């Protein structure tokens, strides 16, 4: 069964699978029980929310609030409550990470191209971009934001996990069946399956010969940060796409991938990214959070 941009099929007896694309990723909704028509309506609601968040905050869209901020050229921009909440959240992540996570670091894409090649940027190319990075230079006084000309913000590191949690809440308002949402590997559920068992989340190995690990999820979110798809490789050394905003380079000793299970997808994504930025200290950082995690 299909509708505009979404489709629903039967993944297993009694288990509907809705599918769509958003935020450059496949979106999936697993719904246990109920009718296919209800599963389609639920998937449509989930997809609509994912597309709304993408339209609002994508730096690729000319009509997004992010583009309006990035093109303000030192002028004040007044933002809505939802965007203000996201900016507050980004500021908190910047503080917690001692500046290593920074939504103004997106300009580094001009030097880094994570296409699997061995084309590392020149040190001077990264250094030239560093003056355009630094949340401490942004004048943020909710709901007004003023950013120096030449700087940009990008919610790409946190927006998808937020969209998963939002879409789950909205889907629950019209569906009383067990639900699991998956936006390109960022997942959330608000309850177990019909028989009371947990959803089993398969975690792909970073090496072809590795075994698939599993995390049982009854309620909350699971998110992964890693270099499986976006990386550079030179002289046997792998450079992942999670960059330290204070240096413009990947953190030395960072894991290949970090997967975290937490009370929400947003929290899981935040901790997975912060752990990557901890480098050699990723395991100690996650153990201190007292949450389930997998490091590869």
């Amino acid at each position: 069964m299909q509708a505009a941009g979404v489709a629903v099929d039967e993944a297993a007896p009694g288990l509907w699978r809705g599918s769509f694309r958003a935020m450059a990723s496949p979106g999936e909704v697993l719904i246990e029980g109920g009718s296919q028509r209800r599963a389609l309506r639920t998937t449509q609601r989930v997809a609509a929310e994912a597309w709304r968040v993408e339209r609002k905050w994508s730096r690729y869209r000319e009509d997004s609030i992010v583009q309006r901020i990035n093109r303000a050229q030192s002028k004040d921009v007044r933002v809505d409550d939802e965007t203000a909440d996201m900016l507050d959240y980004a500021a908190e992540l910047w503080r917690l990470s001692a500046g290593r996570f920074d939504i103004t670091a997106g300009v580094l894409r001009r030097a880094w191209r994570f296409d699997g090649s061995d084309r590392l940027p020149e040190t001077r190319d990264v250094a030239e971009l560093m003056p355009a990075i630094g949340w401490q230079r942004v004048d943020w006084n909710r709901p007004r934001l003023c950013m120096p000309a030449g700087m940009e913000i990008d919610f790409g590191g946190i927006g998808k996990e937020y969209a998963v949690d939002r879409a789950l809440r909205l889907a629950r308002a019209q569906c009383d069946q067990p639900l699991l949402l998956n936006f390109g590997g960022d997942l959330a559920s608000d309850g177990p399956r019909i028989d009371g068992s947990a959803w089993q989340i398969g975690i792909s190995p970073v090496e072809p010969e590795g075994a698939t690990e599993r995390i049982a999820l009854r309620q909350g979110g699971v998110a992964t940060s890693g270099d499986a798809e976006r990386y550079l490789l030179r002289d046997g050394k792998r450079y992942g796409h999670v960059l330290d905003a204070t240096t413009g380079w990947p953190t030395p000793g960072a894991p290949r991938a970090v997967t975290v299970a937490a009370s929400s997808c947003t929290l899981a994504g935040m901790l997975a990214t912060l752990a990557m930025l901890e480098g050699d200290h990723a395991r100690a950082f996650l153990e201190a959070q007292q949450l389930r995690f997998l490091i590869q």
Side-chain angles (χ1 to χ4, degrees):
M1 183 175 288
Q2 297 185 2
V6 305
V8 172
D9 61 6
E10 191 169 27
L15 184 65
W16 301 107
R17 177 177 53 209
S19 58
F20 60 94
R21 284 197 65 84
M23 304 177 181
S25 298
E28 183 179 64
V29 186
L30 294 181
I31 306 158
E32 193 171 29
S35 68
Q36 188 175 18
R37 186 165 299 282
R38 172 172 287 191
L40 180 64
R41 288 199 300 269
T42 302
T43 302
Q44 287 176 302
R45 189 68 189 90
V46 170
E49 181 61 11
W51 293 332
R52 183 193 70 83
V53 172
E54 184 175 22
R55 283 194 304 272
K56 183 168 187 174
W57 289 333
S58 172
R59 63 180 169 81
Y60 298 105
R61 292 184 61 97
E62 294 297 318
D63 57 348
S64 76
I65 180 64
V66 168
Q67 277 287 27
R68 190 155 64 87
I69 291 170
N70 290 344
R71 294 181 176 180
Q73 297 295 305
S74 302
K75 296 179 181 175
D76 283 3
V77 177
R78 189 180 182 89
V79 303
D80 62 278
D81 285 344
E82 187 180 35
T83 301
D85 288 344
M86 189 60 88
L87 288 167
D88 283 343
Y89 178 57
E92 180 67 6
L93 293 183
W94 176 80
R95 186 187 65 77
L96 290 172
S97 68
R100 285 173 290 181
F101 178 91
D102 193 324
I103 60 170
T104 68
V107 294
L108 289 169
R109 70 181 180 281
R110 299 172 190 166
W112 290 91
R113 302 283 190 275
F114 294 102
D115 55 4
S117 72
D118 63 350
R119 294 188 290 271
L120 286 183
E122 297 292 337
T123 301
R124 66 173 180 277
D125 293 336
V126 175
E128 286 174 358
L129 294 170
M130 295 306 292
I133 300 172
W135 177 255
Q136 71 277 11
R137 300 177 58 205
V138 177
D139 181 6
W140 168 232
N141 186 12
R142 183 180 179 129
R144 181 190 61 81
L145 182 141
C146 184
M147 192 163 58
M151 292 184 66
E152 299 179 0
I153 66 166
D154 185 350
F155 288 140
I158 50 180
K160 184 147 65 75
E161 294 91 337
Y162 169 83
V164 173
D165 289 331
R166 278 272 312 175
L168 178 62
R169 287 196 294 273
L170 294 172
R172 177 53 66 211
Q174 67 180 66
C175 175
D176 55 6
Q177 304 299 131
L179 282 170
L180 176 70
L181 271 58
N182 176 9
F183 288 12
D186 295 326
L187 303 100
S189 179
D190 59 357
R193 303 187 63 170
I194 288 175
D195 63 2
S197 65
W199 299 92
Q200 297 297 317
I201 312 299
I203 310 299
S204 299
V206 295
E207 299 293 348
E209 65 274 16
T212 298
E213 301 278 353
R214 295 191 179 280
I215 289 180
L217 178 67
R218 288 182 176 276
Q219 186 172 22
V222 173
T224 297
S225 182
D227 65 6
E229 297 182 0
R230 299 177 61 204
Y231 64 93
L232 295 175
L233 186 65
R234 176 180 284 185
D235 300 330
K237 183 176 180 179
R238 198 174 179 100
Y239 297 80
H241 75 281
V242 180
L243 301 174
D244 183 335
T246 64
T247 67
W249 290 79
T251 305
R256 290 283 311 278
V258 172
T259 300
V260 176
S263 58
S264 70
C265 189
T266 301
L267 180 59
M270 175 192 78
L271 292 173
T273 299
L274 295 186
M276 292 290 290
L277 291 169
E278 288 288 332
D280 293 328
H281 305 292
R283 181 172 297 278
F285 169 79
L286 290 170
E287 287 176 344
Q289 313 308 316
Q290 298 185 325
L291 296 169
R292 290 175 295 158
F293 66 89
L294 174 66
I295 289 181
Q296 301 186 72

